[in-house]
Amino acid sequence: MLGQSEPTSSTLQLVASDMTDIMEKLDTRELDLEDGEYDTTDSNAPAERLSFSAVYHTVGFKEPTAKVFLSSPITAKILEVERFTSAQDRFNHTTQRSVNKSMPAVYKIELKHGEFTWLVKKKEKHFMDLHRELRTYKTFMRLPLPSRSHTVKRQTATRSEVREMPNLPRGGGDELGREEQVSSRRKQLEDYLNNLLKMQMYRNYHATMEFIDVSQLSFIHDLGPKGLEGMVLKRSGGHRIPGMNCCGRSKMCYRWSKRWLVVKDSFLLYMKPDSGAISFVMLVDKEFNIKMDSKDTETKHGVRIDSLSRSLVLKCSSYRHARWWGQAIEGFVQKHGSAFLTDHRFGSFARQEENIPAKWYVNGKTYMEDVADALEEAKEEIFITDWWLSPEIFLKRPVVEGNRWRLDCILKRKAQQGVRIFVMLYKEVELALGINSGYSKRTLLHLHPNIKVMRHPDHVSSAVYLWAHHEKIIVIDQSVAFVGGIDLAYGRWDDREHRLTDVGSVTRSHLEQAEAASSSVAAPANGSGAVSHNNGKGIFTVTDSVDQPKLKGQGRMKRTRFSIRRHLQKHGLAQPDSDSDSDKETEERSGSVRSLHTGVGELFGNTRFWHGKDYCNFVHKDWIQLDKPFDDFIDRHTTPRMPWHDIASVVHGKAARDVARHFIQRWNFTKLVKPKYRSLSYPCLLPKSHTTAGEQRYQVPNCTHAKVQILRSASDWSAGIKYHEESIHNAYVHAIENSQHFVYIENQFFISCADNRHVFNKIGDTIAERIIRAYREGKRYRVYVVTPLLPGFEGDINTGGGSAIQAVMHFNYRTMNRGDHSIISQLRREMGDQWINYISIAGLRTHAELEGKLVTELIYVHSKMLIADDNTVIIGSANINDRSMLGKRDSEVAVIVEDSETVTAVMDGQEYQAGKYALQLRLECFKTILGAHTDPSIDVSDPISDHFYKEVWMATCARNATIYQKVFRCLPSSDVRNILELEGYLTKSGLDKEDPARAHEELKKIRGFLVQFPLQFLCEQNLLPPIGSKEAMVPMEVWT
């Protein structure tokens, strides 16, 4: 590393460092202590591994409570003595060598402690300074000072240790230079250091720890190998914060502060020595490099460390010090963190990881159950970021264990157990969106001090008005990561039934049954009265699921007593007294831990699945009054809910570490840009090392091992990085280009086909090019696109839907079949009407009976998924539109999963080795939307054969769409080409009104949920927002 000169006979001048009086031989026998014995137990010997949560408990470096070492010994070995004559020094350009110009020797010392090995370099002078300081400390320890902390210090030191401080023999004079003197001095210093490190009193002294370059973060197993550490001066500034850079490069702008630098395998950080607070973390990335030239550092003895997010300048004590540090940091990161230094496939920040346990989820039911179980297993940290988060949602339904599986209750329970919980919410523009993130933040913060919540962006200060944080991530202990399209929010929980109605409740007759049952099975001591609330319209609402019957382990009903006091507390009108009321909640929860997988059968009455605000139909009416979570806002006796179809995934190990790393980068960036989060109560987060990622404490059941890579859309405003990343976009394009047989896409939007004026992403064009290539080669190839029949904005489609719905429809149709850029227009130019054999665009719809009336509603497709060739899957939060894909706009996270385990399947009538993960996911999606779960005669095994494509897929689409139109006269419909035709279409009623019996017969022919997409709906209408409307005032890219 450093230009080392070997000790040859020509360079025999050994260093004469400033050896003053301290070099006298120190005889510790003179310091005999006669003031009583000391406690000889090592009071705070940590376990063999320091827990990761120690990073949240760092204290000032001089505090006696600082936990640094493991219980194993530390050994030191001086590997070599580096000697430089002045000729080798850059400050003296003469080539002559003379004895009186020799410089101090540097001892290169290797230290070992448990699993950690590291190097330090020290001069003789450093040994002298340490020895002098320890002597002072020793004398100080003999004085029985009256302060409590001093007494504690004296008690932890053993009497023998104080007495037997090792001797540091006097070093050689100026003219010593012979080899034997070098080696004997080396041996003396090595023995001195080893003896010192055996004595806990001296080893735990801050000066010793600084001498051997260790701190409270050195030996934490999950932070990986120990790199360079030490005290430096760092220069303020250098962050890449959009719109906030230091004006001018004059020295006046800068402040120098003394910090303790810690280098780890994939990041470096610095701490404030007086408080122990971690004040900055820099992640290693593809731009990471180190410059030591003074023109780069603009300071003497400086080291400049650059990354995508900051240019950090450090100042060292000498030229040699700066060279050693610059080279040591570079060498360590090259050796241990090389995976982070390069650009990876698709331009992602994360590399592809092999053999990762992964699992997919179709719909919120199974997803939320696994999330609840994983949260329950958390030991150290929980990270959550959502576009929208509703604290009061139930993760397991039907609700049979009181509030045990309500999100806020789970998080409170984990926080009380000492788990640190970090939540990042998108801060919406309140005029435009009603998701009330302020309420979510306040609710979570009031639960427990271990829960920290940040919102971002601040629209005014960051000048980000248009873009959102759209990702949906939950990470447990940085080793289990859920990634997908499902927010932990109202309306998302659903299963493969996609029910439209949920009027079920514990009705009075059921209450009587339950009463009888509970009294016959020995009524609980606290009485068995139950409460229901009638809101005046005869609609039965459950105020809070605490008031719902619970099934206990033995099947006995336990009822909760209704007390006025408790009811008032719930609505914030009375304070709980600590010992009784609030504890009752925990008592109730401890009952039954098992969840019911049997559905509704065993419960009394028809249990509700969707409570209060969770019962929603956002095209009919947007959410209001979110601070009253259990009050209905639409009448569930007249309006069907809007079912929610969605996809998510979970990954483990190194892939989960990568998801956590993205979260950590965003958290630390938000902490930096929002002054209110700079306080110590919002800590900087540290990424765990990839080296320990295999030590999986908990794994979600039923995973498949596969190759996984994490992808994201991120930029300066969202993650504080210099160059934006659009790896999701690149992966989509790559997957479509390289697909051999088919692509199946489910997405909430379908906005693509670049004109490089309004739309820029390439996904639609790639689909068209891939189909044209298949047509020219005469190969069979299919593209399936499933997308919502209407965009998810509030509006009455019976009057045209309103400007927001129409604006999104304009861009969706512009991608599908309208205008020269659209996919179908591109295909028609090449192959005429043959395009219909290559691509099918569809939506989902269902029907039900509500209070004796037939009703229908579209199923809202919120998924963001692509499956190619039954072996490659992309699941994430990114829609097919410019907002999600371009990287500079909304922030997104996705995973690409490529199968390594194969199973025998069918492709175009031939045997085919399909990937286990991708095949099972496609079969679940196809069976659900085509109705094969209930009708086993439907064969979905071959995704591209003519029989499947024409007689199953296309036939089901067409038949379902025709029946729904005949029965309900529903919208959108291709029969309505402009707003004038809309009224005429609606005046004619369907079979549901004219002949309900026949309507029932017709609806029996429906299979699954799939319906043809009405490609001609309002095709003669200009759907762009009319001039003068508020929608026309926002920039066009809001809709794309």
Short mmCIF file of all heavy atoms in Angstrom, two decimals, residues 428-472:
data_model
loop_
_atom_site.label_atom_id
_atom_site.label_comp_id
_atom_site.label_asym_id
_atom_site.label_seq_id
_atom_site.Cartn_x
_atom_site.Cartn_y
_atom_site.Cartn_z
N GLU A 428 -48.60 13.61 0.58
CA GLU A 428 -49.38 13.97 -0.61
C GLU A 428 -49.63 15.47 -0.68
O GLU A 428 -49.54 16.18 0.32
CB GLU A 428 -50.72 13.21 -0.60
CG GLU A 428 -51.76 13.74 0.37
CD GLU A 428 -51.54 13.34 1.84
OE1 GLU A 428 -50.46 12.83 2.17
OE2 GLU A 428 -52.44 13.56 2.64
N VAL A 429 -49.98 15.94 -1.87
CA VAL A 429 -50.48 17.31 -2.01
C VAL A 429 -51.94 17.24 -1.58
O VAL A 429 -52.76 16.61 -2.25
CB VAL A 429 -50.37 17.80 -3.48
CG1 VAL A 429 -50.90 19.22 -3.61
CG2 VAL A 429 -48.93 17.72 -3.96
N GLU A 430 -52.26 17.85 -0.44
CA GLU A 430 -53.56 17.57 0.18
C GLU A 430 -54.74 17.99 -0.68
O GLU A 430 -55.81 17.41 -0.60
CB GLU A 430 -53.62 18.23 1.56
CG GLU A 430 -52.78 17.44 2.57
CD GLU A 430 -52.51 18.21 3.86
OE1 GLU A 430 -53.37 19.02 4.22
OE2 GLU A 430 -51.45 17.98 4.47
N LEU A 431 -54.55 18.99 -1.52
CA LEU A 431 -55.66 19.42 -2.38
C LEU A 431 -55.99 18.35 -3.41
O LEU A 431 -57.12 18.24 -3.87
CB LEU A 431 -55.29 20.72 -3.10
CG LEU A 431 -55.11 21.94 -2.19
CD1 LEU A 431 -54.50 23.09 -2.96
CD2 LEU A 431 -56.46 22.34 -1.61
N ALA A 432 -54.98 17.56 -3.79
CA ALA A 432 -55.18 16.61 -4.88
C ALA A 432 -55.58 15.22 -4.40
O ALA A 432 -56.27 14.50 -5.09
CB ALA A 432 -53.90 16.52 -5.71
N LEU A 433 -55.13 14.83 -3.19
CA LEU A 433 -55.37 13.47 -2.73
C LEU A 433 -55.93 13.47 -1.32
O LEU A 433 -55.50 14.28 -0.49
CB LEU A 433 -54.05 12.68 -2.70
CG LEU A 433 -53.56 12.04 -4.00
CD1 LEU A 433 -52.18 11.47 -3.77
CD2 LEU A 433 -54.51 10.96 -4.47
N GLY A 434 -56.79 12.52 -1.04
CA GLY A 434 -57.37 12.47 0.31
C GLY A 434 -56.85 11.33 1.14
O GLY A 434 -57.61 10.72 1.89
N ILE A 435 -55.57 10.99 1.04
CA ILE A 435 -55.09 9.80 1.79
C ILE A 435 -54.64 10.14 3.21
O ILE A 435 -54.32 9.26 3.98
CB ILE A 435 -53.96 9.07 1.02
CG1 ILE A 435 -52.78 9.98 0.73
CG2 ILE A 435 -54.49 8.45 -0.26
CD1 ILE A 435 -51.63 9.28 0.00
N ASN A 436 -54.61 11.43 3.56
CA ASN A 436 -54.39 11.86 4.94
C ASN A 436 -53.19 11.19 5.62
O ASN A 436 -53.33 10.54 6.66
CB ASN A 436 -55.66 11.64 5.77
CG ASN A 436 -55.68 12.55 7.00
OD1 ASN A 436 -54.65 13.06 7.43
ND2 ASN A 436 -56.86 12.74 7.57
N SER A 437 -52.01 11.37 5.02
CA SER A 437 -50.81 10.76 5.61
C SER A 437 -50.48 11.40 6.96
O SER A 437 -49.82 10.78 7.79
CB SER A 437 -49.63 10.90 4.65
OG SER A 437 -49.34 12.26 4.42
N GLY A 438 -50.95 12.64 7.16
CA GLY A 438 -50.72 13.29 8.46
C GLY A 438 -51.38 12.52 9.58
O GLY A 438 -50.80 12.32 10.65
N TYR A 439 -52.61 12.04 9.34
CA TYR A 439 -53.32 11.24 10.34
C TYR A 439 -52.57 9.93 10.60
O TYR A 439 -52.39 9.52 11.75
CB TYR A 439 -54.76 10.95 9.88
CG TYR A 439 -55.44 9.89 10.70
CD1 TYR A 439 -55.91 10.18 11.98
CD2 TYR A 439 -55.56 8.58 10.24
CE1 TYR A 439 -56.50 9.20 12.76
CE2 TYR A 439 -56.15 7.60 11.01
CZ TYR A 439 -56.62 7.91 12.28
OH TYR A 439 -57.19 6.93 13.05
N SER A 440 -52.14 9.27 9.52
CA SER A 440 -51.41 8.00 9.68
C SER A 440 -50.16 8.22 10.52
O SER A 440 -49.83 7.43 11.40
CB SER A 440 -51.01 7.42 8.32
OG SER A 440 -52.15 7.21 7.52
N LYS A 441 -49.44 9.30 10.23
CA LYS A 441 -48.20 9.58 10.96
C LYS A 441 -48.48 9.82 12.45
O LYS A 441 -47.84 9.23 13.31
CB LYS A 441 -47.51 10.81 10.35
CG LYS A 441 -46.25 11.22 11.08
CD LYS A 441 -45.59 12.44 10.46
CE LYS A 441 -44.44 12.92 11.31
NZ LYS A 441 -43.74 14.07 10.71
N ARG A 442 -49.45 10.66 12.74
CA ARG A 442 -49.76 10.96 14.15
C ARG A 442 -50.19 9.70 14.89
O ARG A 442 -49.76 9.44 16.02
CB ARG A 442 -50.87 12.02 14.23
CG ARG A 442 -50.42 13.42 13.86
CD ARG A 442 -51.49 14.44 14.18
NE ARG A 442 -52.76 14.20 13.49
CZ ARG A 442 -53.01 14.58 12.25
NH1 ARG A 442 -52.08 15.22 11.54
NH2 ARG A 442 -54.17 14.34 11.68
N THR A 443 -51.03 8.90 14.25
CA THR A 443 -51.53 7.69 14.90
C THR A 443 -50.38 6.75 15.25
O THR A 443 -50.32 6.21 16.36
CB THR A 443 -52.51 6.95 13.95
OG1 THR A 443 -53.49 7.88 13.52
CG2 THR A 443 -53.17 5.77 14.64
N LEU A 444 -49.46 6.54 14.30
CA LEU A 444 -48.34 5.62 14.54
C LEU A 444 -47.40 6.18 15.60
O LEU A 444 -46.92 5.45 16.47
CB LEU A 444 -47.58 5.36 13.24
CG LEU A 444 -48.36 4.58 12.18
CD1 LEU A 444 -47.57 4.54 10.86
CD2 LEU A 444 -48.64 3.15 12.63
N LEU A 445 -47.11 7.48 15.54
CA LEU A 445 -46.17 8.07 16.50
C LEU A 445 -46.70 7.99 17.94
O LEU A 445 -45.93 7.88 18.89
CB LEU A 445 -45.87 9.53 16.15
CG LEU A 445 -44.96 9.75 14.94
CD1 LEU A 445 -44.82 11.24 14.64
CD2 LEU A 445 -43.58 9.14 15.17
N HIS A 446 -48.02 8.04 18.09
CA HIS A 446 -48.58 8.00 19.45
C HIS A 446 -48.52 6.60 20.05
O HIS A 446 -48.77 6.44 21.24
CB HIS A 446 -50.03 8.50 19.44
CG HIS A 446 -50.12 9.99 19.29
ND1 HIS A 446 -51.14 10.63 18.63
CD2 HIS A 446 -49.28 10.98 19.70
CE1 HIS A 446 -50.93 11.94 18.64
NE2 HIS A 446 -49.80 12.18 19.28
N LEU A 447 -48.25 5.59 19.25
CA LEU A 447 -48.27 4.22 19.77
C LEU A 447 -47.12 3.95 20.73
O LEU A 447 -47.30 3.34 21.77
CB LEU A 447 -48.21 3.20 18.61
CG LEU A 447 -49.41 3.19 17.65
CD1 LEU A 447 -49.13 2.26 16.49
CD2 LEU A 447 -50.68 2.77 18.37
N HIS A 448 -45.89 4.38 20.35
CA HIS A 448 -44.71 4.03 21.16
C HIS A 448 -43.51 4.83 20.67
O HIS A 448 -43.38 5.07 19.47
CB HIS A 448 -44.42 2.52 21.01
CG HIS A 448 -43.49 1.99 22.06
ND1 HIS A 448 -42.11 2.05 21.93
CD2 HIS A 448 -43.72 1.40 23.26
CE1 HIS A 448 -41.56 1.51 23.00
NE2 HIS A 448 -42.51 1.11 23.82
N PRO A 449 -42.60 5.21 21.57
CA PRO A 449 -41.41 5.97 21.13
C PRO A 449 -40.47 5.20 20.19
O PRO A 449 -39.66 5.82 19.50
CB PRO A 449 -40.70 6.34 22.44
CG PRO A 449 -41.40 5.63 23.53
CD PRO A 449 -42.72 5.16 23.04
N ASN A 450 -40.57 3.87 20.15
CA ASN A 450 -39.71 3.11 19.24
C ASN A 450 -40.20 3.17 17.79
O ASN A 450 -39.56 2.59 16.90
CB ASN A 450 -39.63 1.63 19.66
CG ASN A 450 -38.53 1.41 20.68
OD1 ASN A 450 -37.75 2.30 20.96
ND2 ASN A 450 -38.48 0.21 21.24
N ILE A 451 -41.35 3.80 17.55
CA ILE A 451 -41.87 3.91 16.19
C ILE A 451 -41.55 5.31 15.67
O ILE A 451 -41.93 6.31 16.27
CB ILE A 451 -43.39 3.65 16.15
CG1 ILE A 451 -43.70 2.25 16.68
CG2 ILE A 451 -43.93 3.83 14.73
CD1 ILE A 451 -45.18 1.91 16.76
N LYS A 452 -40.80 5.37 14.58
CA LYS A 452 -40.42 6.66 13.98
C LYS A 452 -41.07 6.76 12.60
O LYS A 452 -40.98 5.80 11.82
CB LYS A 452 -38.90 6.75 13.80
CG LYS A 452 -38.11 6.53 15.09
CD LYS A 452 -38.31 7.68 16.06
CE LYS A 452 -37.54 7.45 17.34
NZ LYS A 452 -38.17 8.15 18.47
N VAL A 453 -41.68 7.90 12.31
CA VAL A 453 -42.36 8.07 11.03
C VAL A 453 -41.88 9.35 10.37
O VAL A 453 -41.82 10.40 11.01
CB VAL A 453 -43.90 8.15 11.22
CG1 VAL A 453 -44.60 8.16 9.87
CG2 VAL A 453 -44.40 6.99 12.07
N MET A 454 -41.50 9.24 9.09
CA MET A 454 -41.15 10.41 8.31
C MET A 454 -42.10 10.53 7.13
O MET A 454 -42.53 9.51 6.59
CB MET A 454 -39.74 10.26 7.71
CG MET A 454 -38.61 10.37 8.66
SD MET A 454 -37.09 10.30 7.67
CE MET A 454 -35.86 10.37 8.96
N ARG A 455 -42.36 11.78 6.73
CA ARG A 455 -43.09 11.98 5.46
C ARG A 455 -42.18 12.78 4.52
O ARG A 455 -41.40 13.61 4.94
CB ARG A 455 -44.39 12.75 5.70
CG ARG A 455 -45.39 11.99 6.54
CD ARG A 455 -46.77 12.63 6.48
NE ARG A 455 -46.77 14.00 6.97
CZ ARG A 455 -47.72 14.89 6.67
NH1 ARG A 455 -48.72 14.57 5.87
NH2 ARG A 455 -47.66 16.13 7.15
N HIS A 456 -42.33 12.50 3.24
CA HIS A 456 -41.50 13.16 2.22
C HIS A 456 -42.28 13.08 0.92
O HIS A 456 -42.99 12.12 0.69
CB HIS A 456 -40.17 12.39 2.10
CG HIS A 456 -39.16 13.06 1.19
ND1 HIS A 456 -38.95 12.62 -0.10
CD2 HIS A 456 -38.35 14.13 1.38
CE1 HIS A 456 -38.02 13.40 -0.66
NE2 HIS A 456 -37.64 14.31 0.22
N PRO A 457 -42.17 14.03 0.00
CA PRO A 457 -41.37 15.25 0.06
C PRO A 457 -42.17 16.42 0.64
O PRO A 457 -43.39 16.41 0.64
CB PRO A 457 -41.09 15.51 -1.42
CG PRO A 457 -42.31 15.01 -2.12
CD PRO A 457 -42.82 13.84 -1.31
N ASP A 458 -41.44 17.43 1.11
CA ASP A 458 -42.06 18.72 1.42
C ASP A 458 -42.20 19.45 0.10
O ASP A 458 -41.21 19.83 -0.51
CB ASP A 458 -41.17 19.53 2.36
CG ASP A 458 -41.51 19.22 3.81
OD1 ASP A 458 -42.56 18.62 4.03
OD2 ASP A 458 -40.71 19.59 4.69
N HIS A 459 -43.43 19.67 -0.36
CA HIS A 459 -43.60 20.10 -1.75
C HIS A 459 -43.01 21.48 -2.02
O HIS A 459 -42.43 21.71 -3.07
CB HIS A 459 -45.08 20.05 -2.11
CG HIS A 459 -45.65 18.70 -1.84
ND1 HIS A 459 -45.45 17.64 -2.70
CD2 HIS A 459 -46.33 18.20 -0.79
CE1 HIS A 459 -46.00 16.56 -2.17
NE2 HIS A 459 -46.53 16.86 -1.03
N VAL A 460 -43.14 22.37 -1.05
CA VAL A 460 -42.67 23.74 -1.31
C VAL A 460 -41.14 23.79 -1.30
O VAL A 460 -40.52 24.21 -2.26
CB VAL A 460 -43.25 24.71 -0.26
CG1 VAL A 460 -42.73 26.11 -0.52
CG2 VAL A 460 -44.78 24.67 -0.34
N SER A 461 -40.52 23.26 -0.21
CA SER A 461 -39.07 23.40 -0.11
C SER A 461 -38.35 22.55 -1.15
O SER A 461 -37.29 22.91 -1.63
CB SER A 461 -38.60 23.03 1.29
OG SER A 461 -38.87 21.68 1.54
N SER A 462 -38.91 21.39 -1.51
CA SER A 462 -38.19 20.54 -2.45
C SER A 462 -38.63 20.79 -3.89
O SER A 462 -38.08 20.20 -4.82
CB SER A 462 -38.42 19.07 -2.10
OG SER A 462 -39.79 18.75 -2.28
N ALA A 463 -39.67 21.60 -4.07
CA ALA A 463 -40.19 21.91 -5.40
C ALA A 463 -40.62 20.65 -6.15
O ALA A 463 -40.56 20.58 -7.36
CB ALA A 463 -39.17 22.70 -6.22
N VAL A 464 -41.03 19.62 -5.39
CA VAL A 464 -41.56 18.40 -6.03
C VAL A 464 -43.07 18.41 -5.81
O VAL A 464 -43.55 18.04 -4.75
CB VAL A 464 -40.95 17.13 -5.38
CG1 VAL A 464 -41.53 15.87 -6.02
CG2 VAL A 464 -39.44 17.13 -5.54
N TYR A 465 -43.80 18.89 -6.79
CA TYR A 465 -45.26 18.96 -6.65
C TYR A 465 -45.94 17.77 -7.33
O TYR A 465 -47.03 17.39 -6.99
CB TYR A 465 -45.80 20.24 -7.28
CG TYR A 465 -45.35 21.48 -6.56
CD1 TYR A 465 -44.28 22.22 -7.04
CD2 TYR A 465 -45.98 21.90 -5.40
CE1 TYR A 465 -43.86 23.37 -6.38
CE2 TYR A 465 -45.57 23.02 -4.72
CZ TYR A 465 -44.50 23.76 -5.21
OH TYR A 465 -44.09 24.87 -4.55
N LEU A 466 -45.28 17.24 -8.34
CA LEU A 466 -45.98 16.31 -9.23
C LEU A 466 -45.73 14.85 -8.88
O LEU A 466 -46.54 14.00 -9.19
CB LEU A 466 -45.52 16.55 -10.68
CG LEU A 466 -45.64 17.98 -11.19
CD1 LEU A 466 -45.12 18.06 -12.62
CD2 LEU A 466 -47.09 18.44 -11.15
N TRP A 467 -44.59 14.56 -8.26
CA TRP A 467 -44.19 13.15 -8.15
C TRP A 467 -44.45 12.58 -6.76
O TRP A 467 -44.53 13.31 -5.78
CB TRP A 467 -42.71 12.96 -8.52
CG TRP A 467 -42.33 13.69 -9.77
CD1 TRP A 467 -41.24 14.47 -9.96
CD2 TRP A 467 -43.06 13.71 -11.02
NE1 TRP A 467 -41.25 14.98 -11.23
CE2 TRP A 467 -42.35 14.53 -11.90
CE3 TRP A 467 -44.24 13.13 -11.46
CZ2 TRP A 467 -42.78 14.79 -13.21
CZ3 TRP A 467 -44.67 13.38 -12.75
CH2 TRP A 467 -43.95 14.19 -13.61
N ALA A 468 -44.54 11.25 -6.72
CA ALA A 468 -44.90 10.58 -5.46
C ALA A 468 -43.88 9.49 -5.13
O ALA A 468 -43.23 8.95 -6.00
CB ALA A 468 -46.29 9.95 -5.61
N HIS A 469 -43.82 9.17 -3.83
CA HIS A 469 -43.15 7.92 -3.41
C HIS A 469 -44.21 6.84 -3.52
O HIS A 469 -45.18 6.84 -2.77
CB HIS A 469 -42.67 8.03 -1.96
CG HIS A 469 -41.45 8.88 -1.82
ND1 HIS A 469 -40.25 8.56 -2.43
CD2 HIS A 469 -41.23 10.03 -1.14
CE1 HIS A 469 -39.36 9.49 -2.13
NE2 HIS A 469 -39.92 10.39 -1.36
N HIS A 470 -44.02 5.94 -4.46
CA HIS A 470 -45.08 5.01 -4.80
C HIS A 470 -44.75 3.58 -4.38
O HIS A 470 -45.55 2.67 -4.53
CB HIS A 470 -45.31 5.09 -6.33
CG HIS A 470 -46.56 4.40 -6.79
ND1 HIS A 470 -46.54 3.31 -7.62
CD2 HIS A 470 -47.86 4.66 -6.54
CE1 HIS A 470 -47.78 2.92 -7.86
NE2 HIS A 470 -48.60 3.72 -7.22
N GLU A 471 -43.53 3.36 -3.86
CA GLU A 471 -43.14 1.98 -3.57
C GLU A 471 -43.86 1.42 -2.35
O GLU A 471 -44.31 2.16 -1.48
CB GLU A 471 -41.62 1.92 -3.35
CG GLU A 471 -41.14 2.85 -2.27
CD GLU A 471 -39.79 3.46 -2.59
OE1 GLU A 471 -39.59 3.93 -3.72
OE2 GLU A 471 -38.95 3.49 -1.70
N LYS A 472 -43.99 0.09 -2.31
CA LYS A 472 -44.64 -0.58 -1.19
C LYS A 472 -43.67 -1.66 -0.68
O LYS A 472 -43.50 -2.70 -1.31
CB LYS A 472 -45.94 -1.27 -1.63
CG LYS A 472 -47.00 -0.30 -2.18
CD LYS A 472 -47.02 -0.32 -3.68
CE LYS A 472 -48.14 0.52 -4.30
NZ LYS A 472 -48.26 1.88 -3.90
#
